Amino acid sequence: MIFRQLFDSVSSTYTYLIAGRSGGEALIIDPVLDKVERYIQLLAELDVKLVKAIDTHVHADHITGLGALRDRTRCITVMGRESGVDVVSMRVADGDKIEIAGLALETLYTPGHTDDSYSFLMDDRVFTGDTLLIRGTGRTDFQNGDPAASYDSIFNKLLKLPDDTLVYPAHDYKGDTVSTIGEEKAFNPRLQVQSVEEYVEIMNNLNLPDPKMMDVAVPANLQVGLSQDEIEARGWSLDCGAAREILDRPDHILVDLRDRGERERHGVIPGSAHVPYPDLEANLAPGGLLRQLAGSPGQRLVFYCAYGERSAMAVQAAQEAGLSTACHIKGGFDAWKKAGGPTEAGESAP
Ligand SMILES: [Fe+2]
């Protein structure tokens, strides 16, 4: 495994770059916009391909690198389902798995610092965002923060992990880089409380100033979505009504780009093929399956995903590969369901 902890000294943010192996797929947790060039360089140096960029929550102290990384690498952007961002490619909930080749993160919903805060467990380590810091905990006084929820997330979820689990937070202001659950149980001053009331009392009396960047960062971080308008203006977009009319038409190949887990949880559009977004490039390359299918005259590729972001990027990639009839369903499966489009159960595990 490749594991890199990167630091942004302006916001004291830790960013984690993780890959299964050299030459394989990578994911990044809590990237900072100002550091995107560095990440791109490091990805090249380590010879890994970024496929997923994840934010643990909407940050108030720095602008996220999610949108820039998506635009540069066509990776999938991931946040929790509670996040009020305009569009991310994939939304996760408690218990979901975030997979790339060679590794998986388990999603833990840990609200309290914000109502959209998640932690991610990977084998011997947990990425705690701002929920649990080293010898501290994330403040709970803005962005729908809730000290009682923070207590519950920490005491009833994170501290239930084995004591030797490594704790990698999203920030540290003193220079510490990693801790363990056992160490935090014993030495974190905020956790030496006898009751939720005692913890709430501490958190409600921190009297911290607002983060310097808050007025800039929060609005910017709520607008990370890829604009699907340009795709539409070029005629590469179907609304749900138009998409319903092509169901069952043999000259249209409907392709679901979501991960297997998303299909199992949310269902699929009947009659669609499954090509997970990370496999798209190989499928569009000469000799690839989609290229062969769509290469016959009169055939049209219709991509869809969860919200239309991955499929918009897929349309661009297919057009670049010379498949000039490729299009997508605007707004994805989410819009399809809201419009009352028919669905069926996704496959269970292979
Ligand atoms: Fe935060």
Side-chain angles (χ1 to χ4, degrees):
M1 182 182 67
I2 295 172
F3 179 81
R4 293 287 182 279
Q5 182 178 33
L6 301 152
F7 187 58
D8 171 50
S9 55
V10 177
S11 59
S12 298
T13 302
Y14 286 128
T15 300
Y16 301 94
L17 176 67
I18 311 164
R21 62 175 176 84
S22 175
E25 294 182 351
L27 63 80
I28 196 163
I29 300 175
D30 287 332
V32 176
L33 179 62
D34 290 343
K35 297 287 181 203
V36 163
E37 285 308 322
R38 172 66 188 135
Y39 308 145
I40 298 281
Q41 180 190 18
L42 186 57
L43 288 163
E45 289 166 353
L46 298 173
D47 185 27
V48 291
K49 179 177 162 53
L50 185 67
V51 296
K52 285 182 180 152
I54 307 164
D55 265 359
T56 50
H57 63 291
V58 172
H59 295 282
D61 57 352
H62 66 269
I63 298 178
T64 176
L66 244 55
L69 282 170
R70 181 219 34 236
D71 293 345
R72 294 286 298 274
T73 69
R74 289 190 175 159
C75 68
I76 297 171
T77 52
V78 184
M79 288 190 79
R81 64 177 176 182
E82 291 79 6
S83 293
V85 298
D86 55 349
V87 183
V88 286
S89 310
M90 181 188 290
R91 288 180 183 272
V92 291
D94 190 66
D96 286 352
K97 281 211 160 30
I98 301 175
E99 294 175 312
I100 64 169
L103 58 90
L105 302 181
E106 188 183 325
T107 302
L108 305 174
Y109 181 43
T110 52
H113 167 60
T114 64
D115 64 352
D116 71 333
S117 287
Y118 277 82
S119 300
F120 301 103
L121 181 64
M122 188 181 81
D123 303 326
D124 64 343
R125 60 200 67 195
V126 62
F127 304 95
T128 54
D130 291 355
T131 302
L132 177 60
L133 305 172
I134 298 173
R135 309 298 191 264
T137 60
R139 60 193 296 178
T140 54
D141 56 339
F142 53 71
Q143 290 183 287
N144 299 317
D146 177 344
S150 165
Y151 178 93
D152 186 51
S153 295
I154 294 169
F155 281 84
N156 296 322
K157 274 198 177 145
L158 295 175
L159 297 191
K160 301 279 190 219
L161 296 170
D163 276 355
D164 58 358
T165 308
L166 297 167
V167 172
Y168 285 101
H171 294 288
D172 192 86
Y173 306 95
K174 307 173 300 295
D176 289 317
T177 53
V178 60
S179 179
T180 65
I181 290 293
E183 219 178 295
E184 291 311 306
K185 264 186 202 164
F187 304 117
N188 189 320
R190 298 229 181 121
L191 307 186
Q192 311 310 309
V193 292
Q194 301 308 313
S195 66
V196 57
E197 290 78 19
E198 205 182 322
Y199 181 78
V200 169
E201 178 73 13
I202 294 174
M203 297 308 285
N204 283 343
N205 290 288
L206 295 176
N207 299 318
L208 300 166
D210 283 348
K212 280 178 277 191
M213 286 278 286
M214 182 161 148
D215 295 339
V216 181
V218 172
N221 288 341
L222 292 173
Q223 293 177 22
V224 296
L226 172 81
S227 171
Q228 295 173 31
D229 297 346
E230 196 189 326
I231 297 278
E232 189 170 14
R234 303 181 100 165
W236 297 344
S237 195
L238 299 178
D239 63 23
C240 293
R244 269 172 99 144
E245 291 182 6
I246 58 101
L247 274 189
D248 301 327
R249 275 183 47 184
D251 54 346
H252 285 70
I253 305 159
L254 200 53
V255 180
D256 184 0
L257 297 166
R258 294 171 302 161
D259 283 0
R260 186 168 51 86
E262 294 176 279
R263 290 162 57 83
E264 285 169 17
R265 274 195 311 283
H266 303 296
V268 302
I269 299 178
S272 49
H274 181 212
V275 176
Y277 179 78
D279 298 344
L280 181 70
E281 219 175 275
N283 270 277
L284 290 175
L289 184 67
L290 281 183
R291 196 180 178 104
Q292 283 177 16
L293 286 173
S296 349
Q299 291 291 327
R300 186 171 206 199
L301 279 180
V302 184
F303 294 111
Y304 76 95
C305 59
Y307 301 99
E309 185 158 296
R310 274 168 282 185
S311 56
M313 295 191 285
V315 170
Q316 283 167 339
Q319 293 283 346
E320 284 165 21
L323 302 172
S324 62
T325 59
C327 64
H328 83 138
I329 301 179
K330 192 180 184 190
F333 190 72
D334 183 57
W336 175 265
K337 268 214 304 215
K338 284 178 180 151
T343 65
E344 62 185 25
E347 72 283 327
S348 48

